[in-house]
Amino acid sequence: MTPPGLDPQRGLVAAQATRRRFLTATGAAAALALTGELAGVRPAEALAPGSLGSAELFTLGVASGDPLPDAVVIWTRLAPEPTSPTGGMPARPVPVQWEVAEDERFRRVVRRGSARAVPESAHTVHVDVQGLRPRRHYWYRFRVGSQLSPVGRTRTAPAPGEAVAELSLAVASCQAIWEGWFTAYADMARRDHDAVLFLGDYIYEFGIDRGVRPDSAAVENTRQTVTLDEYRHRYAQYKLDPDLQAAHAAAPWIVTLDDHEVVDNWADEAHPSAPAAQFLVRRANGFRAYWEHMPLRLAQAPQGPDMQLYRRLRFGSLAEVNVLDTRQYRSDQAMGDGSKPPNPESQDPRRTLTGDRQEQWLLDGMAGSGTTWNVIGQQNALARLDTVAGPDVAVPMDTWDGYEGSRRRVLGGIAERGVDNVVSLGGDLHRSVASDLRLDFSDPSSPVMASEFVGTSIASGLDGQDLDPGGAVLLAENPHIRYCNFQRGYTSCTITPRTWKADYRVVDRVTVPDGEVSTRTTLVVEAGRPGIQES
């Protein structure tokens, strides 16, 4: 029996009741996470920029994201003391000037304006710059008084229907900062990508007392993030990394979250650490800090414990990227989570990973996209992952394996609608896994409906190795898996009307700051021919 409050078929009434319990239980303690307003603090006049002194304000760099043909979001945060609870800023708004230019030296400024960095949002700035031209590079910067931010470069998407000869997309996830240096981001920043797709685990919420970096054992890093201040501190800690800043400044990012932006393996309103109403307070804190530190539009700003993250971005007639959210709407993990044999609960067709509305949105959107490539950007592996050797089978309950009904509906829906050239991009596994996605993974002759490239982690998992014992089991037990690697890195994808080419970029060592990056393998999918081939 499913515990009360975790029924996968609960409707709108149950969801609204839980939100009411959340509001009643939290009161003023969650006012900031819910509304962005500080209790007892009246709106104040903006602080004169000159009164901030000479302290460096733009310590966390700049970023851009969610490119459209005529718009892009640009982001920064004012934080002279980035790891302090207030970022070292006074509890007053600060006017921030911004500029967007067609050249790196800002001789041809095409858009400029002013934004307010307010304490309620940790003095972050999100500007949705509109009126830009399609498929162009732009440079942007911010100014407070006489102090200038670093310069970032971004790029708008192609015009709707525009024939695009080539698109370059970097795919990354999972960056446990204490387990490695972000060398992969330094490599990513040097290569010319049109956009970066980040698929979750931007931070890790749990406290650690070890690590390869000099400050890993600092007391503030040993605490688990629960409060809004703690989540903000953790984002600042990550964003201080110069390689991560460089990757953000080199190209626009398209982001979605997974579990560690809140807490490990949470599912909708459920986590064993707390009752639902209490957990939703933590979720609201995590969501708010996430939005504050990501280059996202106002449409993605959280409303308490709710956040609209699934969305689409189109790149001319070449590709449409469907960005999923597989945390907010999922049923609780089957059989208490972990790796288990397929079971009645994991195979229950009523259970869902995406929620009914998002699932229908995904399938209808791909059926009507009109683009050559239909891309699913999501957090886990769609492919079946038998993790034990021999005749027994055990699959992870936190991935699509634990939600067999969802997987069958998605892959079956692709087949029923005749959607061509579907590529799933995933993360979370801390290993690279490239797979053919079949309608029936137990039947090697079942038709291939899509191709999947799961990318490894940026740093999570330490150095790793080319093929670890777990990877050897995956290759032996899952004939649909075409490639596996257990080193750190990211995936660099080159997309044309004829082919999808995935370069798996790996770092030989992340436990030192000077690791070497190379292309471990290149895999190809041909348009009109489902399935992965070696280059």
Side-chain angles (χ1 to χ4, degrees), residues 83-106:
T83 58
S84 75
T86 64
M89 293 293 293
R92 300 276 294 278
V94 176
V96 180
Q97 308 302 314
W98 57 269
E99 292 181 311
V100 175
E102 293 181 335
D103 66 302
E104 193 171 5
R105 302 184 69 178
F106 289 82

Side-chain angles (χ1 to χ4, degrees), residues 383-387 395 473-482:
R384 187 186 191 193
L385 303 175
D386 182 2
T387 61
V395 293
V473 169
L474 286 175
L475 287 172
E477 300 299 321
N478 302 277
H480 50 276
I481 294 180
R482 308 296 300 276

Side-chain angles (χ1 to χ4, degrees), residues 255-315:
V255 301
T256 188
L257 54 72
D258 193 18
D259 54 340
H260 288 290
E261 287 87 352
V262 179
V263 63
D264 185 34
N265 281 16
W266 65 278
D268 194 4
E269 298 168 359
H271 193 265
S273 63
Q278 185 177 339
F279 168 68
L280 286 174
V281 178
R282 184 177 188 180
R283 195 172 103 177
N285 289 334
F287 279 11
R288 183 165 185 84
Y290 177 78
W291 183 82
E292 286 174 347
H293 291 85
M294 294 295 111
L296 289 166
R297 286 189 165 82
L298 186 61
Q300 276 66 61
Q303 303 297 314
D306 298 309
M307 189 176 188
Q308 177 62 50
L309 270 176
Y310 67 86
R311 61 203 190 280
R312 290 192 182 92
L313 292 106
R314 179 184 290 260
F315 294 85

Side-chain angles (χ1 to χ4, degrees), residues 83-84 205-208 215-225 230 233-234 237:
T83 58
S84 75
E205 84 291 354
F206 45 79
I208 53 95
D215 63 345
S216 294
V219 63
E220 60 268 22
N221 300 332
T222 65
R223 292 192 296 263
Q224 186 154 170
T225 56
E230 289 167 342
H233 171 274
R234 195 60 53 90
Q237 177 194 7

Side-chain angles (χ1 to χ4, degrees), residues 171 197 199 320 322 366 372-378 380-384 400 407 410-411 414-415 419-427 433-439 441 446-455 480-483 491 493 495 498-502 504 523-534:
V171 186
L197 179 60
L199 296 173
E320 186 168 74
N322 300 273
M366 288 195 296
T372 301
W373 297 95
N374 291 282
V375 186
I376 305 173
Q378 48 88 33
N380 282 290
L382 258 166
R384 187 186 191 193
W400 291 77
R407 182 163 63 194
V410 168
L411 294 179
I414 290 169
V419 182
D420 294 325
N421 304 324
V422 176
V423 173
S424 169
L425 302 173
V433 180
S435 307
D436 296 335
L437 299 182
R438 299 184 180 276
L439 275 177
F441 287 103
S446 178
V448 176
M449 301 312 305
S451 305
E452 179 168 72
F453 299 103
V454 173
H480 50 276
I481 294 180
R482 308 296 300 276
Y483 170 74
T491 315
C493 300
I495 308 155
R498 297 183 60 184
T499 60
W500 182 296
K501 184 180 75 169
Y504 276 105
L523 303 175
V524 174
V525 179
E526 295 179 1
R529 183 184 175 187
I532 294 171
Q533 307 168 55
E534 292 187 5

Side-chain angles (χ1 to χ4, degrees), residues 450-527:
S451 305
E452 179 168 72
F453 299 103
V454 173
T456 186
S457 59
I458 291 291
S460 306
L462 301 171
D463 291 334
Q465 60 192 94
D466 184 56
L467 186 62
D468 66 319
V473 169
L474 286 175
L475 287 172
E477 300 299 321
N478 302 277
H480 50 276
I481 294 180
R482 308 296 300 276
Y483 170 74
C484 191
N485 173 275
F486 190 52
Q487 293 170 284
R488 312 284 74 81
Y490 70 101
T491 315
S492 180
C493 300
T494 304
I495 308 155
T496 74
R498 297 183 60 184
T499 60
W500 182 296
K501 184 180 75 169
D503 291 332
Y504 276 105
R505 301 283 290 169
V506 301
V507 187
D508 65 341
R509 293 185 301 165
V510 296
T511 52
V512 295
D514 56 352
E516 294 186 4
V517 186
S518 62
T519 297
R520 174 61 182 80
T521 194
T522 299
L523 303 175
V524 174
V525 179
E526 295 179 1

